[in-house]
Amino acid sequence: MATKIRLARGGSKKRPHYAIVVSDSRMPRDGRFLEKLGTYNPLLAKDSEDRIKLDLDRAKHWLDQGAQPTDRVARFLEAAGVREKATRANMKKAEPGKKATARAAEKAAKAAAPAEAE
């Protein structure tokens, strides 16, 4: 059975609260799970102890059994020191496109022209 360590959402609308669970990869996000490993409350401050609560021993056990963590859970495990920090591809989504780059260059040239004239 292919298992995943992932987040299961709870809480009300605009007030998310997540459970960190181990589940069969074929089950839905908030569906049946094998074991609850901890909780994650994104509304708390980043330095709060209660933001992420995780049973590290059980997480190690499931990783040894072959469970694959999702990206977010992998970051939690890396911060806790259970997993080695993975290198991630820095996608270029934030970079402007060709037209925006051309407009910026044109605008910079116009701003530089009056400065050179003086």
Side-chain angles (χ1 to χ4, degrees):
M1 170 178 21
T3 55
K4 281 201 166 278
I5 303 175
R6 62 183 176 196
L7 299 175
R9 187 184 161 130
S12 60
K13 183 174 165 185
K14 297 190 180 185
R15 302 285 297 168
H17 185 269
Y18 297 93
I20 302 169
V21 299
V22 178
S23 69
D24 185 349
S25 62
R26 296 169 291 188
M27 292 295 136
R29 178 190 71 180
D30 300 333
R32 189 172 64 202
F33 57 88
L34 302 172
E35 184 178 353
K36 182 177 175 181
L37 300 179
T39 59
Y40 167 57
N41 188 351
L43 298 178
L44 295 176
K46 291 187 187 249
D47 58 350
S48 173
E49 291 178 12
D50 296 332
R51 185 176 168 99
I52 301 170
K53 292 183 181 177
L54 186 59
D55 185 353
L56 297 178
D57 293 334
R58 293 304 295 167
K60 287 177 190 174
H61 166 77
W62 281 106
L63 289 172
D64 292 342
Q65 298 296 319
Q68 294 296 314
T70 57
D71 291 338
R72 178 61 51 194
V73 174
R75 286 178 187 252
F76 296 158
L77 295 172
E78 289 168 6
V82 174
R83 225 178 119 103
E84 296 247 347
K85 189 161 183 149
T87 56
R88 292 181 177 80
N90 188 4
M91 304 307 273
K92 297 183 178 184
K93 289 183 178 179
E95 292 181 8
K98 292 177 185 175
K99 288 184 180 180
T101 306
R103 278 194 304 264
E106 187 178 310
K107 189 175 181 180
K110 280 185 182 178
E116 291 177 5
E118 291 178 1

